[in-house]
Every structure is written in structure tokens, then in C-alpha cells.
Amino acid sequence: MQSLGMQVLFQGTNFLRLLQGLWVSLKIAVISMALSILLGIFLGIIMNSKKKWVKALCRIYLEIVRIMPQLVLLFLVYFGASKHLGMNLSGELSAVIVFTFWGTAEMGDLVRSALISIPKHQYESGYALGMTERQVFLRIIIPQTIRRLIPSIMNLLTRMIKTTSLVVLIGVVEVVKVGKQIIDASRFTTPSAAFWVYGMIFFLYFAVCFPFSKAAAILERKLRD
Amino acid sequence: MDFGFIRESIPLYVDAALLTARIALIGILLSGMIGFICCIIRVMRIPVLRQAAAAYIELSRNTPLLVQLFFLYFGLPRVGIVLSSEACAVIGLAFLGGSYMAEAFRSGMDAVSKVQIESGLSLGMKPMQVFFHIMLPQAVTTSIPVFCANIIFLIKETSVFSAVALADLVFVAKDLIGISYRTDEALLMLVIAYLILLLPISIICSLIERRVRYAEFGNAGVVSGH
């Protein structure tokens, strides 16, 4: 009977539907990641500012993100916004807002530490060659920072993808939800469907995240040498 | 805001917070143990187990906790293994946390310089003695910031337990929203509960981190002085 249970994955369009569900999760992750990178670079530069109140503000923002579970933030936006702003945010949009809010903080912190790690003589050599502050930043500092950031960005992306699994709890139809539908539909024909479907989803997430985290590890090793 | 309602719902949140804290504590302790075992296996280069540990770490780091929990809670009963939701939560958290803790130990072990190990061996210490008396203390000190980050991360991850019918903080908040439609009060209490749970830990962690970094600078000075 075990071999029969596995067939539920490939009955009809089931497998295709699972992949489509996964695509919804990935889309949310990629859009939030792109926004986080853009906003995070700004935040990272701002965080190195010498003004006390800017530092304090950034610190509070980071601390909020560090402490609040992403699920709680999702609930706040999804349930809170519909009540107070009178807007009916879709689950997807709330997810993008929350993940961008979270990702920007993480990204900002990464950019900040990468900027600090650039040795001072890099700036000074630039100035000594008569470059303006803008030129030094755009041509010397930013390219080096980005090189150092790539492994961390990839790690953050895998975390983002993993966290998108939470959006099923605010009603987005993504891979876990599709899995539930398949399980419910085949409850009587294949009782062991839950085992295979959740096992498959587990494997799918692994198949998506593993290449990124492996690549990040390899790049990190390369950078160190 | 209806403060009467908030006052009435406090006991519910306290119960849920205690449950969350209990499961987080057990899960974190187990993850520490799993991480430590993986670390011993790796350092001692035990053949087959080493590959198994590496596979486990990759598998657990690259999949979301929610999917792991769904597999444990809804998937396994279909093949005859029935777990209670608390058992699922603890196993899931330990499975996830174990790999993070293992990586923390690993980064600490990698930071121990080779000279230290060789000196120990040449003094006639056994490999096990070198491991416990020389490598481990140094590794643990250098990884303390990572351990702290992992602990906070794991406590945050407990928020998904509501999905396997465990009456944790999120579960209570969702319940109250469903029963009474008092979204604001329920969400406010949820945020406050997590603040109370995590803010002290976060502050303690930053204090420890500063302390460790301070020690690190001292050591660096001594090393470069020689």
C-alpha cells in the first residue's frame, strides 16, 4: 500500500499545482528581497551617521525586528491594517510589506558592518588621488562592499524563502495550502497522502534553499582566502 | 481600547507565555546537546556519523520549521507514528535548533588556532583531553554571540507552534480575535507578551556580547605582543 500512497503526488495536475504554490512563495520572497536590498543599502549608510538621534532611531528599529517574531508582524499588518486603515490588504501584499520591513533591517545591519570593515586607507587613498566624496563612495567603497555582501545576501534570501512558509497562516494560497487541498481531496482514496505531500514540500523547500546556502558557503570561503 | 477586556485576558496570555517558555527551554537545551554531539563527531572525524551529521545539518538548515512541524504532526500519523502537539513542537524545535547550534560550535572550533591543539598534544594530553580542556572552552567563548542570536531566533520560531494546535501566544491571540473581534487588544497583548519574553534576553545577550568582545581584544593584544 505504501507505493500507492506516493502516487497521489503525481495524480492529475497535483505536482504541477504544488510547484505553482511554491512559485507564489518564491515570488513573495524575491520581491521582498529586492526591496530589502535597495532599502537596506540606504539604511546601512544612514546607520553609520554620527548623529545621535539617527543612531537611536535605527537601534530601536533593529531591536523591534530582532525581537518580534515575523508571524506576529504578519498578524499586525494583516489584521491591523484592515481594521484601522480600512484597507483590505491581500495576504500577499501584507507578506511583502512585513518581509521587506524585516529584510531591510537585516540588510541594513549587514551593509553597516560591511562598510565598517572597509579599511580607512581605502577612503584616504581615494581622497589623496583627488576624488570627490561621491566618487570615492561609488567607485571604491560600494563595489568592495557589494563583493563582501554577496554571501550574506544569499543567506538572507534562503531565510526569506523559508520564512515565506508562514504566509499560509494568513490565508495565502501557497505550497503548504495547495498541499492541504490535495490531502483533503484524496482523504478517502489515499489516507497516507499527508505523509507524502508534506514530505514532498519539505523536499521542495530543501531543493530551493540548498543551492543558495551552498553557493554562499563556497563564496564565503573564497572571500576569506 | 477596552482595558477591562485586556485585564480579563491576561491569565490566558500568561498561561500561553509559560507554555511557550517551557517548550522553548526544552527545545533549546536539546538543540544545544544535538549541536554539541555533531561538533564532537566532526572534530573527532568519526567516519559514517560525520557524513550523517553533515546531511542532517544541511537538511534542517534549508527547510522551514513550519513545514517540518506539518510533516511531524500531520504526515507521520499516516504511517503509524502519532505524536502529541507538544512532542511535535519540542522535536521540531530541537531538529531545527540542533543544526544552528552545531554551526555555532563549528565556527568556534574553527577559530581555535592549530598551535593550541598541537601544544596540548605535545604536552602528552590525549585527544579527548585536548578537546575538553583546550578547544571547548575557547570555542564556547568565541561563539557566545552566535549562541545568543540562536536562542533569540529559536524563541521567535516558537510562534509557529499555533499551527500544530499548541495553545501558544499566537494561538491565544487568534482565538480571542475570532471569539470577540477585539483585534487591537488581542494583538497589543501579543506584542507585549513577546516583548516581556524576549527583551530581557536580548538585553542580557548584548551585555554578554560586549563582555566577550572586551575579553577578545585583551587576548589579541597579548598574542600580538609575543
Side-chain angles (χ1 to χ4, degrees), chain A residues 63 65-69 71 84 162 165-166 176 191 194-195 202 210 213, chain B residues 58 61-64 66 70 74 78 100 156 159-160 184 191 198-199 202:
Chain A
E63 206 59 24
V65 173
R66 192 160 116 125
I67 289 179
M68 276 302 130
L71 186 60
H84 287 287
K162 284 188 291 177
S165 63
L166 296 182
V176 177
F195 178 77
F202 186 82
F210 181 65
S213 58
Chain B
E58 293 297 348
R61 279 181 73 92
N62 287 309
T63 47
L66 188 67
F70 274 176
F74 298 113
R78 300 286 157 207
Y100 281 82
K156 274 166 71 177
S159 61
V160 306
D184 295 334
V191 169
L198 279 163
L199 198 58
S202 175

PDB file of all heavy atoms in Angstrom, chain A residues 63 65-69 71 84 162 165-166 176 191 194-195 202 210 213, chain B residues 58 61-64 66 70 74 78 100 156 159-160 184 191 198-199 202:
ATOM      1  N   GLU A  63      15.980  46.653  16.940  1.00  0.00           N
ATOM      2  CA  GLU A  63      15.597  45.876  18.126  1.00  0.00           C
ATOM      3  C   GLU A  63      14.185  45.309  17.958  1.00  0.00           C
ATOM      4  O   GLU A  63      13.927  44.167  18.314  1.00  0.00           O
ATOM      5  CB  GLU A  63      15.701  46.763  19.370  1.00  0.00           C
ATOM      6  CG  GLU A  63      15.939  46.033  20.669  1.00  0.00           C
ATOM      7  CD  GLU A  63      17.224  45.203  20.689  1.00  0.00           C
ATOM      8  OE1 GLU A  63      18.170  45.499  19.919  1.00  0.00           O
ATOM      9  OE2 GLU A  63      17.271  44.243  21.462  1.00  0.00           O
ATOM     10  N   VAL A  65      12.709  44.543  15.154  1.00  0.00           N
ATOM     11  CA  VAL A  65      12.756  43.439  14.201  1.00  0.00           C
ATOM     12  C   VAL A  65      13.401  42.213  14.834  1.00  0.00           C
ATOM     13  O   VAL A  65      13.002  41.075  14.595  1.00  0.00           O
ATOM     14  CB  VAL A  65      13.525  43.863  12.938  1.00  0.00           C
ATOM     15  CG1 VAL A  65      13.737  42.684  12.023  1.00  0.00           C
ATOM     16  CG2 VAL A  65      12.759  44.938  12.208  1.00  0.00           C
ATOM     17  N   ARG A  66      14.415  42.457  15.696  1.00  0.00           N
ATOM     18  CA  ARG A  66      15.127  41.353  16.321  1.00  0.00           C
ATOM     19  C   ARG A  66      14.227  40.595  17.288  1.00  0.00           C
ATOM     20  O   ARG A  66      14.327  39.386  17.407  1.00  0.00           O
ATOM     21  CB  ARG A  66      16.339  41.916  17.062  1.00  0.00           C
ATOM     22  CG  ARG A  66      17.335  40.884  17.534  1.00  0.00           C
ATOM     23  CD  ARG A  66      18.671  41.538  17.782  1.00  0.00           C
ATOM     24  NE  ARG A  66      19.022  41.450  19.181  1.00  0.00           N
ATOM     25  CZ  ARG A  66      20.164  40.909  19.615  1.00  0.00           C
ATOM     26  NH1 ARG A  66      21.036  40.446  18.772  1.00  0.00           N
ATOM     27  NH2 ARG A  66      20.428  40.877  20.888  1.00  0.00           N
ATOM     28  N   ILE A  67      13.336  41.325  17.952  1.00  0.00           N
ATOM     29  CA  ILE A  67      12.545  40.693  18.998  1.00  0.00           C
ATOM     30  C   ILE A  67      11.227  40.114  18.485  1.00  0.00           C
ATOM     31  O   ILE A  67      10.828  39.039  18.880  1.00  0.00           O
ATOM     32  CB  ILE A  67      12.279  41.697  20.140  1.00  0.00           C
ATOM     33  CG1 ILE A  67      13.570  41.948  20.894  1.00  0.00           C
ATOM     34  CG2 ILE A  67      11.237  41.173  21.083  1.00  0.00           C
ATOM     35  CD1 ILE A  67      13.412  42.920  21.998  1.00  0.00           C
ATOM     36  N   MET A  68      10.549  40.845  17.593  1.00  0.00           N
ATOM     37  CA  MET A  68       9.213  40.392  17.200  1.00  0.00           C
ATOM     38  C   MET A  68       9.297  39.231  16.207  1.00  0.00           C
ATOM     39  O   MET A  68       9.965  39.333  15.181  1.00  0.00           O
ATOM     40  CB  MET A  68       8.446  41.544  16.528  1.00  0.00           C
ATOM     41  CG  MET A  68       7.786  42.463  17.508  1.00  0.00           C
ATOM     42  SD  MET A  68       6.634  41.577  18.563  1.00  0.00           S
ATOM     43  CE  MET A  68       7.183  42.153  20.156  1.00  0.00           C
ATOM     44  N   PRO A  69       8.612  38.138  16.509  1.00  0.00           N
ATOM     45  CA  PRO A  69       8.561  37.055  15.520  1.00  0.00           C
ATOM     46  C   PRO A  69       7.876  37.550  14.243  1.00  0.00           C
ATOM     47  O   PRO A  69       6.968  38.363  14.309  1.00  0.00           O
ATOM     48  CB  PRO A  69       7.700  35.999  16.206  1.00  0.00           C
ATOM     49  CG  PRO A  69       7.747  36.313  17.648  1.00  0.00           C
ATOM     50  CD  PRO A  69       7.926  37.775  17.754  1.00  0.00           C
ATOM     51  N   LEU A  71       5.847  36.145  12.410  1.00  0.00           N
ATOM     52  CA  LEU A  71       4.423  35.798  12.376  1.00  0.00           C
ATOM     53  C   LEU A  71       3.594  36.874  13.062  1.00  0.00           C
ATOM     54  O   LEU A  71       2.510  37.238  12.608  1.00  0.00           O
ATOM     55  CB  LEU A  71       4.212  34.442  13.053  1.00  0.00           C
ATOM     56  CG  LEU A  71       2.804  33.885  12.965  1.00  0.00           C
ATOM     57  CD1 LEU A  71       2.403  33.689  11.522  1.00  0.00           C
ATOM     58  CD2 LEU A  71       2.698  32.570  13.697  1.00  0.00           C
ATOM     59  N   HIS A  84      -7.826  49.357  10.871  1.00  0.00           N
ATOM     60  CA  HIS A  84      -7.585  50.776  11.131  1.00  0.00           C
ATOM     61  C   HIS A  84      -7.509  51.615   9.885  1.00  0.00           C
ATOM     62  O   HIS A  84      -7.977  52.743   9.861  1.00  0.00           O
ATOM     63  CB  HIS A  84      -6.304  50.940  11.941  1.00  0.00           C
ATOM     64  CG  HIS A  84      -6.497  50.518  13.344  1.00  0.00           C
ATOM     65  ND1 HIS A  84      -7.211  51.276  14.224  1.00  0.00           N
ATOM     66  CD2 HIS A  84      -6.134  49.409  13.992  1.00  0.00           C
ATOM     67  CE1 HIS A  84      -7.251  50.640  15.375  1.00  0.00           C
ATOM     68  NE2 HIS A  84      -6.614  49.505  15.261  1.00  0.00           N
ATOM     69  N   LYS A 162      12.514  30.548   3.426  1.00  0.00           N
ATOM     70  CA  LYS A 162      11.994  29.676   4.471  1.00  0.00           C
ATOM     71  C   LYS A 162      10.868  30.360   5.236  1.00  0.00           C
ATOM     72  O   LYS A 162       9.884  29.732   5.605  1.00  0.00           O
ATOM     73  CB  LYS A 162      13.117  29.284   5.445  1.00  0.00           C
ATOM     74  CG  LYS A 162      14.030  28.231   4.866  1.00  0.00           C
ATOM     75  CD  LYS A 162      14.991  27.718   5.893  1.00  0.00           C
ATOM     76  CE  LYS A 162      15.992  28.759   6.267  1.00  0.00           C
ATOM     77  NZ  LYS A 162      16.898  28.321   7.323  1.00  0.00           N
ATOM     78  N   SER A 165       7.044  30.402   4.290  1.00  0.00           N
ATOM     79  CA  SER A 165       6.109  29.330   4.623  1.00  0.00           C
ATOM     80  C   SER A 165       5.069  29.808   5.640  1.00  0.00           C
ATOM     81  O   SER A 165       3.997  29.219   5.749  1.00  0.00           O
ATOM     82  CB  SER A 165       6.862  28.121   5.168  1.00  0.00           C
ATOM     83  OG  SER A 165       7.503  28.458   6.364  1.00  0.00           O
ATOM     84  N   LEU A 166       5.370  30.902   6.350  1.00  0.00           N
ATOM     85  CA  LEU A 166       4.414  31.405   7.345  1.00  0.00           C
ATOM     86  C   LEU A 166       3.166  31.989   6.711  1.00  0.00           C
ATOM     87  O   LEU A 166       2.124  32.077   7.355  1.00  0.00           O
ATOM     88  CB  LEU A 166       5.064  32.502   8.200  1.00  0.00           C
ATOM     89  CG  LEU A 166       6.235  32.133   9.082  1.00  0.00           C
ATOM     90  CD1 LEU A 166       6.679  33.343   9.865  1.00  0.00           C
ATOM     91  CD2 LEU A 166       5.841  31.030  10.030  1.00  0.00           C
ATOM     92  N   VAL A 176       2.066  25.112   0.900  1.00  0.00           N
ATOM     93  CA  VAL A 176       1.514  24.319   2.005  1.00  0.00           C
ATOM     94  C   VAL A 176      -0.006  24.233   1.895  1.00  0.00           C
ATOM     95  O   VAL A 176      -0.610  23.180   2.125  1.00  0.00           O
ATOM     96  CB  VAL A 176       1.918  24.928   3.365  1.00  0.00           C
ATOM     97  CG1 VAL A 176       1.290  24.149   4.501  1.00  0.00           C
ATOM     98  CG2 VAL A 176       3.424  24.936   3.514  1.00  0.00           C
ATOM     99  N   PRO A 191      -5.335   7.512   2.141  1.00  0.00           N
ATOM    100  CA  PRO A 191      -5.234   8.071   3.506  1.00  0.00           C
ATOM    101  C   PRO A 191      -3.818   8.506   3.862  1.00  0.00           C
ATOM    102  O   PRO A 191      -3.638   9.384   4.698  1.00  0.00           O
ATOM    103  CB  PRO A 191      -5.667   6.903   4.394  1.00  0.00           C
ATOM    104  CG  PRO A 191      -6.309   5.915   3.496  1.00  0.00           C
ATOM    105  CD  PRO A 191      -5.751   6.115   2.135  1.00  0.00           C
ATOM    106  N   ALA A 194      -1.064  12.660   3.405  1.00  0.00           N
ATOM    107  CA  ALA A 194      -0.417  13.714   4.202  1.00  0.00           C
ATOM    108  C   ALA A 194       1.081  13.465   4.327  1.00  0.00           C
ATOM    109  O   ALA A 194       1.885  14.385   4.203  1.00  0.00           O
ATOM    110  CB  ALA A 194      -1.056  13.793   5.581  1.00  0.00           C
ATOM    111  N   PHE A 195       1.443  12.201   4.550  1.00  0.00           N
ATOM    112  CA  PHE A 195       2.850  11.859   4.709  1.00  0.00           C
ATOM    113  C   PHE A 195       3.651  12.238   3.465  1.00  0.00           C
ATOM    114  O   PHE A 195       4.685  12.896   3.533  1.00  0.00           O
ATOM    115  CB  PHE A 195       2.977  10.355   4.990  1.00  0.00           C
ATOM    116  CG  PHE A 195       4.382   9.883   5.129  1.00  0.00           C
ATOM    117  CD1 PHE A 195       5.087  10.108   6.291  1.00  0.00           C
ATOM    118  CD2 PHE A 195       5.004   9.213   4.083  1.00  0.00           C
ATOM    119  CE1 PHE A 195       6.395   9.675   6.424  1.00  0.00           C
ATOM    120  CE2 PHE A 195       6.306   8.776   4.204  1.00  0.00           C
ATOM    121  CZ  PHE A 195       7.001   9.014   5.383  1.00  0.00           C
ATOM    122  N   PHE A 202       8.565  19.447   2.081  1.00  0.00           N
ATOM    123  CA  PHE A 202       9.823  19.506   2.825  1.00  0.00           C
ATOM    124  C   PHE A 202      10.999  19.430   1.849  1.00  0.00           C
ATOM    125  O   PHE A 202      11.909  20.262   1.855  1.00  0.00           O
ATOM    126  CB  PHE A 202       9.841  18.302   3.783  1.00  0.00           C
ATOM    127  CG  PHE A 202      10.993  18.259   4.726  1.00  0.00           C
ATOM    128  CD1 PHE A 202      10.969  18.990   5.895  1.00  0.00           C
ATOM    129  CD2 PHE A 202      12.090  17.456   4.461  1.00  0.00           C
ATOM    130  CE1 PHE A 202      12.024  18.927   6.778  1.00  0.00           C
ATOM    131  CE2 PHE A 202      13.150  17.392   5.337  1.00  0.00           C
ATOM    132  CZ  PHE A 202      13.115  18.139   6.497  1.00  0.00           C
ATOM    133  N   PHE A 210      18.864  24.829  -0.683  1.00  0.00           N
ATOM    134  CA  PHE A 210      20.195  24.229  -0.578  1.00  0.00           C
ATOM    135  C   PHE A 210      21.218  24.845  -1.543  1.00  0.00           C
ATOM    136  O   PHE A 210      22.322  25.209  -1.106  1.00  0.00           O
ATOM    137  CB  PHE A 210      20.102  22.709  -0.775  1.00  0.00           C
ATOM    138  CG  PHE A 210      21.406  22.003  -0.663  1.00  0.00           C
ATOM    139  CD1 PHE A 210      22.095  21.988   0.543  1.00  0.00           C
ATOM    140  CD2 PHE A 210      21.968  21.356  -1.756  1.00  0.00           C
ATOM    141  CE1 PHE A 210      23.310  21.346   0.653  1.00  0.00           C
ATOM    142  CE2 PHE A 210      23.182  20.720  -1.657  1.00  0.00           C
ATOM    143  CZ  PHE A 210      23.856  20.717  -0.447  1.00  0.00           C
ATOM    144  N   SER A 213      22.403  28.243  -0.192  1.00  0.00           N
ATOM    145  CA  SER A 213      23.244  28.252   1.005  1.00  0.00           C
ATOM    146  C   SER A 213      24.597  27.611   0.709  1.00  0.00           C
ATOM    147  O   SER A 213      25.620  28.012   1.250  1.00  0.00           O
ATOM    148  CB  SER A 213      22.550  27.570   2.185  1.00  0.00           C
ATOM    149  OG  SER A 213      22.218  26.263   1.883  1.00  0.00           O
TER     150      SER A 213
ATOM    151  N   GLU B  58      22.504  20.155   6.815  1.00  0.00           N
ATOM    152  CA  GLU B  58      22.005  20.788   5.584  1.00  0.00           C
ATOM    153  C   GLU B  58      20.490  20.675   5.493  1.00  0.00           C
ATOM    154  O   GLU B  58      19.801  21.623   5.132  1.00  0.00           O
ATOM    155  CB  GLU B  58      22.635  20.130   4.343  1.00  0.00           C
ATOM    156  CG  GLU B  58      24.122  20.373   4.192  1.00  0.00           C
ATOM    157  CD  GLU B  58      24.465  21.844   3.989  1.00  0.00           C
ATOM    158  OE1 GLU B  58      23.547  22.642   3.743  1.00  0.00           O
ATOM    159  OE2 GLU B  58      25.657  22.191   4.087  1.00  0.00           O
ATOM    160  N   ARG B  61      18.818  23.044   8.102  1.00  0.00           N
ATOM    161  CA  ARG B  61      19.012  24.475   7.886  1.00  0.00           C
ATOM    162  C   ARG B  61      18.287  24.992   6.661  1.00  0.00           C
ATOM    163  O   ARG B  61      18.073  26.180   6.524  1.00  0.00           O
ATOM    164  CB  ARG B  61      20.509  24.790   7.739  1.00  0.00           C
ATOM    165  CG  ARG B  61      21.218  24.899   9.042  1.00  0.00           C
ATOM    166  CD  ARG B  61      22.659  25.242   8.820  1.00  0.00           C
ATOM    167  NE  ARG B  61      22.827  26.620   8.397  1.00  0.00           N
ATOM    168  CZ  ARG B  61      23.035  27.631   9.239  1.00  0.00           C
ATOM    169  NH1 ARG B  61      23.104  27.410  10.514  1.00  0.00           N
ATOM    170  NH2 ARG B  61      23.174  28.848   8.795  1.00  0.00           N
ATOM    171  N   ASN B  62      17.974  24.095   5.726  1.00  0.00           N
ATOM    172  CA  ASN B  62      17.389  24.564   4.476  1.00  0.00           C
ATOM    173  C   ASN B  62      15.899  24.298   4.346  1.00  0.00           C
ATOM    174  O   ASN B  62      15.361  24.329   3.249  1.00  0.00           O
ATOM    175  CB  ASN B  62      18.133  23.943   3.294  1.00  0.00           C
ATOM    176  CG  ASN B  62      19.504  24.555   3.132  1.00  0.00           C
ATOM    177  OD1 ASN B  62      19.645  25.759   3.081  1.00  0.00           O
ATOM    178  ND2 ASN B  62      20.523  23.721   3.088  1.00  0.00           N
ATOM    179  N   THR B  63      15.251  23.978   5.469  1.00  0.00           N
ATOM    180  CA  THR B  63      13.803  23.804   5.403  1.00  0.00           C
ATOM    181  C   THR B  63      13.158  24.599   6.517  1.00  0.00           C
ATOM    182  O   THR B  63      13.741  24.758   7.580  1.00  0.00           O
ATOM    183  CB  THR B  63      13.415  22.322   5.562  1.00  0.00           C
ATOM    184  OG1 THR B  63      14.143  21.790   6.660  1.00  0.00           O
ATOM    185  CG2 THR B  63      13.726  21.524   4.329  1.00  0.00           C
ATOM    186  N   PRO B  64      11.956  25.119   6.267  1.00  0.00           N
ATOM    187  CA  PRO B  64      11.290  25.931   7.292  1.00  0.00           C
ATOM    188  C   PRO B  64      10.722  25.073   8.419  1.00  0.00           C
ATOM    189  O   PRO B  64      10.295  23.941   8.181  1.00  0.00           O
ATOM    190  CB  PRO B  64      10.160  26.630   6.540  1.00  0.00           C
ATOM    191  CG  PRO B  64      10.114  26.063   5.191  1.00  0.00           C
ATOM    192  CD  PRO B  64      11.187  25.062   5.019  1.00  0.00           C
ATOM    193  N   LEU B  66       7.957  25.429   9.957  1.00  0.00           N
ATOM    194  CA  LEU B  66       6.533  25.151   9.790  1.00  0.00           C
ATOM    195  C   LEU B  66       6.310  23.869   8.992  1.00  0.00           C
ATOM    196  O   LEU B  66       5.468  23.040   9.353  1.00  0.00           O
ATOM    197  CB  LEU B  66       5.869  26.331   9.065  1.00  0.00           C
ATOM    198  CG  LEU B  66       4.351  26.269   8.976  1.00  0.00           C
ATOM    199  CD1 LEU B  66       3.731  26.415  10.339  1.00  0.00           C
ATOM    200  CD2 LEU B  66       3.824  27.327   8.036  1.00  0.00           C
ATOM    201  N   PHE B  70       4.544  20.422  10.174  1.00  0.00           N
ATOM    202  CA  PHE B  70       3.422  19.810   9.463  1.00  0.00           C
ATOM    203  C   PHE B  70       3.715  18.356   9.144  1.00  0.00           C
ATOM    204  O   PHE B  70       2.855  17.499   9.264  1.00  0.00           O
ATOM    205  CB  PHE B  70       3.122  20.575   8.170  1.00  0.00           C
ATOM    206  CG  PHE B  70       2.194  21.738   8.385  1.00  0.00           C
ATOM    207  CD1 PHE B  70       1.873  22.585   7.348  1.00  0.00           C
ATOM    208  CD2 PHE B  70       1.644  21.974   9.628  1.00  0.00           C
ATOM    209  CE1 PHE B  70       1.025  23.660   7.532  1.00  0.00           C
ATOM    210  CE2 PHE B  70       0.796  23.040   9.835  1.00  0.00           C
ATOM    211  CZ  PHE B  70       0.492  23.878   8.790  1.00  0.00           C
ATOM    212  N   PHE B  74       1.077  16.133  10.900  1.00  0.00           N
ATOM    213  CA  PHE B  74       0.047  15.605  10.012  1.00  0.00           C
ATOM    214  C   PHE B  74       0.544  14.444   9.167  1.00  0.00           C
ATOM    215  O   PHE B  74      -0.240  13.582   8.770  1.00  0.00           O
ATOM    216  CB  PHE B  74      -0.468  16.710   9.080  1.00  0.00           C
ATOM    217  CG  PHE B  74      -1.103  17.853   9.807  1.00  0.00           C
ATOM    218  CD1 PHE B  74      -0.512  19.102   9.805  1.00  0.00           C
ATOM    219  CD2 PHE B  74      -2.287  17.678  10.497  1.00  0.00           C
ATOM    220  CE1 PHE B  74      -1.092  20.165  10.474  1.00  0.00           C
ATOM    221  CE2 PHE B  74      -2.871  18.735  11.169  1.00  0.00           C
ATOM    222  CZ  PHE B  74      -2.270  19.976  11.164  1.00  0.00           C
ATOM    223  N   ARG B  78       0.079   9.242   9.542  1.00  0.00           N
ATOM    224  CA  ARG B  78      -0.407   8.436   8.417  1.00  0.00           C
ATOM    225  C   ARG B  78       0.406   7.172   8.229  1.00  0.00           C
ATOM    226  O   ARG B  78      -0.019   6.253   7.545  1.00  0.00           O
ATOM    227  CB  ARG B  78      -0.381   9.259   7.133  1.00  0.00           C
ATOM    228  CG  ARG B  78      -1.235  10.479   7.183  1.00  0.00           C
ATOM    229  CD  ARG B  78      -2.692  10.114   7.076  1.00  0.00           C
ATOM    230  NE  ARG B  78      -3.518  11.172   7.647  1.00  0.00           N
ATOM    231  CZ  ARG B  78      -4.714  10.961   8.153  1.00  0.00           C
ATOM    232  NH1 ARG B  78      -5.220   9.748   8.164  1.00  0.00           N
ATOM    233  NH2 ARG B  78      -5.408  11.965   8.635  1.00  0.00           N
ATOM    234  N   TYR B 100      21.630  24.738  13.966  1.00  0.00           N
ATOM    235  CA  TYR B 100      22.142  26.092  14.197  1.00  0.00           C
ATOM    236  C   TYR B 100      23.194  26.082  15.299  1.00  0.00           C
ATOM    237  O   TYR B 100      24.218  26.745  15.228  1.00  0.00           O
ATOM    238  CB  TYR B 100      20.993  27.051  14.541  1.00  0.00           C
ATOM    239  CG  TYR B 100      20.230  27.499  13.326  1.00  0.00           C
ATOM    240  CD1 TYR B 100      19.246  26.706  12.767  1.00  0.00           C
ATOM    241  CD2 TYR B 100      20.523  28.710  12.712  1.00  0.00           C
ATOM    242  CE1 TYR B 100      18.562  27.101  11.629  1.00  0.00           C
ATOM    243  CE2 TYR B 100      19.853  29.121  11.573  1.00  0.00           C
ATOM    244  CZ  TYR B 100      18.866  28.310  11.045  1.00  0.00           C
ATOM    245  OH  TYR B 100      18.208  28.705   9.912  1.00  0.00           O
ATOM    246  N   LYS B 156      11.800  33.019  18.956  1.00  0.00           N
ATOM    247  CA  LYS B 156      10.912  33.626  17.963  1.00  0.00           C
ATOM    248  C   LYS B 156      10.219  32.563  17.117  1.00  0.00           C
ATOM    249  O   LYS B 156       9.047  32.684  16.794  1.00  0.00           O
ATOM    250  CB  LYS B 156      11.715  34.553  17.040  1.00  0.00           C
ATOM    251  CG  LYS B 156      11.864  35.937  17.592  1.00  0.00           C
ATOM    252  CD  LYS B 156      12.915  36.713  16.847  1.00  0.00           C
ATOM    253  CE  LYS B 156      12.473  37.072  15.448  1.00  0.00           C
ATOM    254  NZ  LYS B 156      13.493  37.882  14.766  1.00  0.00           N
ATOM    255  N   SER B 159       6.733  30.846  17.621  1.00  0.00           N
ATOM    256  CA  SER B 159       5.454  31.452  17.278  1.00  0.00           C
ATOM    257  C   SER B 159       4.666  30.633  16.256  1.00  0.00           C
ATOM    258  O   SER B 159       3.471  30.830  16.117  1.00  0.00           O
ATOM    259  CB  SER B 159       5.668  32.865  16.749  1.00  0.00           C
ATOM    260  OG  SER B 159       6.456  32.837  15.591  1.00  0.00           O
ATOM    261  N   VAL B 160       5.328  29.713  15.542  1.00  0.00           N
ATOM    262  CA  VAL B 160       4.568  28.940  14.553  1.00  0.00           C
ATOM    263  C   VAL B 160       3.890  27.712  15.163  1.00  0.00           C
ATOM    264  O   VAL B 160       3.162  27.013  14.473  1.00  0.00           O
ATOM    265  CB  VAL B 160       5.446  28.486  13.357  1.00  0.00           C
ATOM    266  CG1 VAL B 160       6.146  29.659  12.733  1.00  0.00           C
ATOM    267  CG2 VAL B 160       6.425  27.428  13.758  1.00  0.00           C
ATOM    268  N   ASP B 184      -7.499  44.765  18.139  1.00  0.00           N
ATOM    269  CA  ASP B 184      -6.457  45.636  18.684  1.00  0.00           C
ATOM    270  C   ASP B 184      -5.936  45.109  20.006  1.00  0.00           C
ATOM    271  O   ASP B 184      -4.738  44.978  20.200  1.00  0.00           O
ATOM    272  CB  ASP B 184      -7.010  47.040  18.948  1.00  0.00           C
ATOM    273  CG  ASP B 184      -7.402  47.695  17.657  1.00  0.00           C
ATOM    274  OD1 ASP B 184      -6.816  47.303  16.642  1.00  0.00           O
ATOM    275  OD2 ASP B 184      -8.284  48.562  17.684  1.00  0.00           O
ATOM    276  N   VAL B 191       1.930  41.464  21.229  1.00  0.00           N
ATOM    277  CA  VAL B 191       3.207  42.177  21.096  1.00  0.00           C
ATOM    278  C   VAL B 191       3.861  42.346  22.464  1.00  0.00           C
ATOM    279  O   VAL B 191       5.059  42.082  22.635  1.00  0.00           O
ATOM    280  CB  VAL B 191       2.977  43.545  20.427  1.00  0.00           C
ATOM    281  CG1 VAL B 191       4.221  44.402  20.520  1.00  0.00           C
ATOM    282  CG2 VAL B 191       2.569  43.365  18.981  1.00  0.00           C
ATOM    283  N   LEU B 198      11.129  38.427  25.367  1.00  0.00           N
ATOM    284  CA  LEU B 198      12.392  38.480  24.621  1.00  0.00           C
ATOM    285  C   LEU B 198      13.277  39.678  24.931  1.00  0.00           C
ATOM    286  O   LEU B 198      14.492  39.596  24.782  1.00  0.00           O
ATOM    287  CB  LEU B 198      12.108  38.442  23.121  1.00  0.00           C
ATOM    288  CG  LEU B 198      11.865  37.036  22.594  1.00  0.00           C
ATOM    289  CD1 LEU B 198      11.201  37.075  21.245  1.00  0.00           C
ATOM    290  CD2 LEU B 198      13.172  36.285  22.502  1.00  0.00           C
ATOM    291  N   LEU B 199      12.681  40.790  25.359  1.00  0.00           N
ATOM    292  CA  LEU B 199      13.505  41.976  25.573  1.00  0.00           C
ATOM    293  C   LEU B 199      14.598  41.735  26.620  1.00  0.00           C
ATOM    294  O   LEU B 199      15.762  42.073  26.373  1.00  0.00           O
ATOM    295  CB  LEU B 199      12.628  43.181  25.943  1.00  0.00           C
ATOM    296  CG  LEU B 199      13.293  44.540  25.771  1.00  0.00           C
ATOM    297  CD1 LEU B 199      13.743  44.742  24.337  1.00  0.00           C
ATOM    298  CD2 LEU B 199      12.370  45.668  26.180  1.00  0.00           C
ATOM    299  N   SER B 202      17.273  39.645  25.092  1.00  0.00           N
ATOM    300  CA  SER B 202      18.041  40.411  24.108  1.00  0.00           C
ATOM    301  C   SER B 202      19.042  41.334  24.801  1.00  0.00           C
ATOM    302  O   SER B 202      20.198  41.439  24.388  1.00  0.00           O
ATOM    303  CB  SER B 202      17.074  41.213  23.246  1.00  0.00           C
ATOM    304  OG  SER B 202      17.763  42.041  22.380  1.00  0.00           O
TER     305      SER B 202
END
